[in-house]
Amino acid sequence: MGIRGLMSFVEDHSNEFFTDVKLRDTKIIVDGYALFHRLYFNSNLELRYGGDYDSFTDVVQKFFESLFACKICPYVVLDGGCDISDKKLNTLKDRAREKIQMAHSLSVGGGGYVCPLLIREVFIQVLIKLQVCFVQCFSEADRDIMTLANHWNCPVLSSDSDFCIFDLKSGFCPLNGFQWRSVNTIKGTRDCYIPAKCFFLDALCCHFGNMNKTLLPLFAVLCGNDHVNLPVMETFLSKVRLPLGAATSKGRRHHRVLGLLNWLSRFADPTEALDSVLNHLPKKRRGTVKELLCRSMEEYLQAQGRIQDFFQHGAYTCPDTWNPGLPPWVLEALARGQLSPFISDALVLRRTILHTQVENMQQPNAHRISLPIRQVIYGLLVNAPPHVRNVAWNALPPQPPTFSEVERINKNIKTSIVHAVELPKDHSDLSKLTELSLASRQMLLLETLKVKQSLLDPVPAALKLPVAVSCYWVQHTEATLKLHHLQALLLGMLLGPLRAMVSSPEEKAGRGGGAETLYEELQRVKAPPGTRLDLDTAHVFCQWQCCLQMGLYLNQLLSTPLPEPDLTRLYSGSLVHGLCRQLLTSASVESLLRLCPEAQQLYENLFNATRSCAPAELFLPKVKLNSKRRKQKKSGISWSENRVGTTLNARSWHEGSNRFELLMVETLENEEAPELE
């Protein structure tokens, strides 16, 4: 949620509210959403190229290795989809607009913070590899985190100021005071610890005259959080005289926070304070405002669900206030992070939010290219059991089934209506979707991605889905990719396999070090920080990530008929952007791969599968006529009229032969050939 100004206020009073601790040999409940944002934004990772997932993976691994070294056992809790009440919709829309502005700023060389599109999925894959326990909640995770931490009597690690309001038995450690990069050793022992600062609610209440802790939820909603932003609250704040206390610069900067806390400390309990608030409001508004404030204050009470059951038994009961009667396999997959919150939003609210990337704002948003995939996802979800409390669901007409999408239009947002695809009857019952045969589920996935199974046969299992998605991408008219974009993307996919080769001493010895040399060369090719962003290239790769994201979600919804790819080394934005520059200037694919035949063979398998789906014109050389050819052109004689026509050559190549390459070589032999850009 977040309370405006509270975190900076308590940090300004660090000596009063925080205790220095040496964390070791303990459980800790980690706010997953806050952690992966903090690790990405505070690790000097590139923000403009769509995600350096390999570098991010290394940072996440080092973070948890620090915890393991200190015998700290992390339990990661992730946010789920939007609350069924939709009470945060306006806040979410405001944040979507802010992200668009920051993405635009980054795209033109300015500052900003926009997470890469697949960062959540990459983070989850790292947790699985490291065997870190985690759960994905059914909606916002704050209350579940608080409930679990108090059940196990251990601290919370987050950056959310709401944890300054929750009554946590073992306190709250803000991420910016958690020095995981500076693991220390207790003098005279081998025991390690992480220096941290821990916030305790008792210290805050003591500072304000031993105020009643139960007043703090009212403080949160009066101060303004993500759920409450009533203009009528400004009426109250303008009428009540908030006592500031000491007139320091810090006091002036945190006028509302300091004033409200001083004011509330006068009251014995929330009921007395709430009555005083309502007395400052017009009588006709009091009933509505009281109901809203009381409902919002409940967000700081213990959660209904027993999330500890998930970590102990592998499942936990979905709260009655959320459970829309979904099939058990869906609820289990959501809790395990095997289905995205995107799916639960579509299921429960029939609305999704498409996140903006650093793309070309003058073009249609990059998610447009993956619309047909989303329509199939919606087609699978449309016959899920409706929630009796979800008025929005029941109000929608049964035909045609529609979903709404919040998407970027220019530099603002718009809600668009999307029709679900009508699927065969055997796909229409969500509760029985997992009972379909593997062949049936795989057929639906591949038909959606417009690729034949035979094309994927030579492709390694871990890369089948990314290659299938790339086949979809190259066919789509929305994509404006060039040959060097495809080459750079496929070369970037070699990073993971090369790393595996390098880490295997036996294979390295057998290959003579070629894999290691190529791996190091690819690392050098990465675009350095500060390099000018090619917006068209950025947009093309944003489109590919949108295709991959929805292809991944569809594959998950169909119980992975294709193996889930290792996203941690699949795409490195600075690498593919750097490769694009290299391929347009001096380097060629052959020159990069010549030292590692195994990587070259893998690349050819990926390229051959993808090019079979691509339009022939993607592979035609861009011709820049030299002076002699310009004269011929002026005289009405074209190069193509004197030599074998490139259209015929391209057609022959596209049909599966190598004649295109051979004919182009023959055409250029013993000849003053055009200059190829």
Side-chain angles (χ1 to χ4, degrees):
M1 290 179 279
I3 300 157
R4 299 181 191 101
L6 179 58
M7 185 58 75
S8 61
F9 172 77
V10 296
E11 287 175 345
D12 278 352
H13 294 77
S14 179
N15 292 336
E16 293 101 320
F17 303 147
F18 288 90
T19 301
D20 290 328
V21 294
K22 298 177 179 178
L23 278 181
R24 57 178 293 273
D25 198 18
T26 181
K27 293 177 180 177
I28 191 168
I29 312 304
V30 181
D31 179 347
Y33 179 88
L35 177 62
F36 68 68
H37 277 78
R38 177 60 61 113
L39 291 181
Y40 200 93
F41 293 147
N42 283 33
S43 300
N44 199 31
L45 300 181
E46 178 55 57
L47 298 174
R48 300 176 301 150
Y49 295 136
D52 277 354
Y53 296 126
D54 55 335
S55 300
F56 173 67
T57 295
D58 293 338
V59 172
V60 177
Q61 288 179 340
K62 289 175 183 175
F63 174 84
F64 284 106
E65 285 168 2
S66 293
L67 267 59
F68 300 153
C70 301
K71 298 181 181 179
I72 298 173
C73 184
Y75 290 83
V76 178
V77 184
L78 291 158
D79 288 326
C82 297
D83 191 273
I84 194 168
S85 68
D86 239 2
K87 56 194 169 189
K88 282 185 65 173
L89 180 58
N90 289 333
T91 298
L92 293 173
K93 287 184 174 181
D94 288 342
R95 288 180 179 172
R97 293 186 186 96
E98 291 171 3
K99 286 181 181 178
I100 290 172
Q101 295 305 316
M102 285 193 284
H104 175 257
S105 174
L106 286 165
S107 72
V108 296
Y113 296 95
V114 177
C115 264
L117 192 64
L118 298 172
I119 188 172
R120 180 191 186 94
E121 285 70 32
V122 172
F123 182 68
I124 287 176
Q125 287 193 351
V126 179
L127 296 180
I128 293 171
K129 285 183 180 181
L130 297 177
Q131 298 183 334
V132 174
C133 296
F134 75 95
V135 65
Q136 181 173 270
C137 296
F138 296 110
S139 56
E140 199 164 23
D142 290 1
R143 293 173 67 192
D144 288 301
I145 291 172
M146 179 264 290
T147 303
L148 182 61
N150 281 341
H151 177 77
W152 282 339
N153 197 18
C154 63
V156 167
L157 183 64
S158 178
S159 57
D160 191 334
S161 56
D162 278 309
F163 291 106
C164 295
I165 301 299
F166 291 120
D167 190 5
L168 295 164
K169 296 177 183 177
S170 295
F172 156 50
C173 296
L175 277 162
N176 58 0
F178 190 74
Q179 302 176 50
W180 64 272
R181 298 181 193 270
S182 303
V183 174
N184 292 335
T185 304
I186 297 175
K187 190 173 181 179
T189 73
R190 294 183 179 180
D191 296 333
C192 299
Y193 68 89
I194 294 177
K197 291 185 176 295
C198 197
F199 172 89
F200 289 94
L201 194 61
D202 287 339
L204 177 69
C205 292
C206 181
H207 184 80
F208 289 94
N210 292 318
M211 71 182 296
N212 188 339
K213 293 179 183 179
T214 61
L215 288 163
L216 289 172
L218 179 58
F219 157 76
V221 297
L222 291 177
C223 200
N225 61 15
D226 290 348
H227 294 161
V228 179
N229 189 20
L230 282 176
V232 73
M233 284 297 96
E234 298 301 325
T235 303
F236 157 71
L237 292 169
S238 66
K239 290 185 176 181
V240 67
R241 298 187 64 180
L242 297 179
L244 266 183
T248 64
S249 59
K250 291 180 180 179
R252 289 191 293 271
R253 183 152 59 93
H254 297 110
H255 181 283
R256 178 173 296 194
V257 172
L258 185 58
L260 277 172
L261 286 171
N262 275 318
W263 182 78
L264 282 169
S265 65
R266 302 171 174 177
F267 299 98
D269 56 54
T271 302
E272 182 184 347
L274 183 58
D275 288 342
S276 181
V277 170
L278 297 174
N279 286 337
H280 288 85
L281 303 180
K283 289 184 179 180
K284 61 180 180 180
R285 301 295 305 276
R286 292 177 185 175
T288 304
V289 172
K290 182 178 182 178
E291 182 181 354
L292 177 60
L293 292 179
C294 290
R295 192 166 63 245
S296 299
M297 289 164 62
E298 291 175 359
E299 295 296 327
Y300 296 92
L301 302 178
Q302 183 166 303
Q304 292 180 340
R306 288 174 50 85
I307 202 168
Q308 61 268 22
D309 291 345
F310 178 85
F311 292 116
Q312 293 167 349
H313 309 298
Y316 80 106
T317 305
C318 179
D320 294 337
T321 54
W322 187 89
N323 188 354
L326 297 178
W329 78 265
V330 172
L331 294 173
E332 182 179 343
L334 285 170
R336 293 181 179 276
Q338 296 166 347
L339 287 176
S340 164
F342 175 92
I343 298 297
S344 64
D345 283 348
L347 269 170
V348 178
L349 300 172
R350 281 203 178 180
R351 188 204 64 237
T352 57
I353 297 176
L354 306 178
H355 296 288
T356 300
Q357 304 171 79
V358 182
E359 56 192 81
N360 190 338
M361 299 291 171
Q362 295 180 346
Q363 292 189 32
N365 82 71
H367 288 280
R368 289 291 180 91
I369 193 172
S370 59
L371 175 59
I373 307 176
R374 294 198 301 279
Q375 288 178 299
V376 173
I377 292 174
Y378 298 151
L380 291 168
L381 301 178
V382 74
N383 291 313
H387 191 297
V388 294
R389 298 183 184 88
N390 191 347
V391 178
W393 177 288
N394 294 330
L396 287 168
Q399 293 293 334
T402 59
F403 291 74
S404 61
E405 296 181 337
V406 179
E407 61 173 344
R408 177 186 69 82
I409 301 293
N410 298 319
K411 296 178 188 175
N412 210 328
I413 61 169
K414 176 185 177 182
T415 301
S416 301
I417 302 301
V418 174
H419 294 277
V421 167
E422 186 174 350
L423 296 172
K425 288 185 178 179
D426 59 347
H427 292 79
S428 62
D429 188 346
L430 185 65
S431 64
K432 297 181 179 179
L433 190 57
T434 54
E435 299 174 15
L436 292 176
S437 68
L438 173 63
S440 178
R441 289 180 282 117
Q442 192 173 89
M443 182 182 299
L444 176 59
L445 175 66
L446 295 181
E447 285 180 353
T448 302
L449 297 178
K450 304 178 184 177
V451 61
K452 295 180 179 178
Q453 171 64 50
S454 58
L455 291 179
L456 301 179
D457 288 342
V459 177
L463 292 176
K464 286 185 186 295
L465 183 59
V467 170
V469 164
S470 300
C471 289
Y472 172 92
W473 175 61
V474 299
Q475 293 178 71
H476 209 285
T477 55
E478 288 272 356
T480 55
L481 72 152
K482 304 292 191 297
L483 178 58
H484 66 280
H485 294 137
L486 176 60
Q487 292 172 324
L489 180 69
L490 298 179
L491 284 169
M493 289 184 190
L494 301 180
L495 207 60
L498 282 170
R499 184 182 174 90
M501 294 179 198
V502 170
S503 62
S504 172
E506 297 83 3
E507 294 193 8
K508 179 180 175 181
R511 291 186 173 90
E516 185 172 5
T517 303
L518 178 56
Y519 184 80
E520 291 172 353
E521 177 61 26
L522 291 178
Q523 296 295 337
R524 284 193 291 270
V525 170
K526 287 186 175 183
T531 307
R532 187 183 67 84
L533 180 68
D534 183 322
L535 264 184
D536 291 334
T537 294
H539 200 80
V540 164
F541 289 130
C542 285
Q543 290 176 319
W544 179 80
Q545 282 211 66
C546 291
C547 297
L548 179 61
Q549 182 190 46
M550 292 305 154
L552 186 73
Y553 291 171
L554 177 58
N555 190 53
Q556 291 174 339
L557 189 58
L558 294 170
S559 300
T560 58
L562 291 182
E564 185 151 315
D566 181 359
L567 300 174
T568 63
R569 308 285 171 186
L570 182 68
Y571 178 86
S572 171
S574 59
L575 173 59
V576 296
H577 278 258
L579 284 166
C580 282
R581 293 187 181 93
Q582 290 269 29
L583 293 170
L584 281 173
T585 53
S586 58
S588 66
V589 173
E590 293 76 15
S591 65
L592 285 167
L593 297 179
R594 69 183 185 277
L595 292 175
C596 187
E598 293 81 7
Q600 186 172 21
Q601 182 60 58
L602 175 55
Y603 172 84
E604 289 175 1
N605 290 342
L606 304 183
F607 186 76
N608 289 337
T610 312
R611 75 177 184 179
S612 300
C613 299
E617 55 267 23
L618 180 65
F619 303 93
L620 294 178
K622 185 178 179 182
V623 176
K624 179 179 179 181
L625 297 178
N626 61 22
S627 57
K628 181 177 179 179
R629 300 304 169 203
R630 289 193 189 97
K631 291 177 183 178
Q632 288 181 340
K633 187 175 181 181
K634 287 181 181 178
S635 64
I637 303 172
S638 70
W639 182 63
S640 61
E641 289 171 344
N642 282 320
R643 296 290 176 258
V644 181
T646 56
T647 303
L648 175 61
N649 298 341
R651 188 180 301 116
S652 300
W653 170 88
H654 195 61
E655 289 170 355
S657 74
N658 292 322
R659 290 179 58 208
F660 177 71
E661 291 89 343
L662 294 173
L663 287 173
M664 287 303 301
V665 171
E666 293 170 3
T667 302
L668 297 175
E669 281 182 350
N670 304 316
E671 166 106 24
E672 187 179 353
E675 299 169 10
L676 301 183
E677 288 187 335

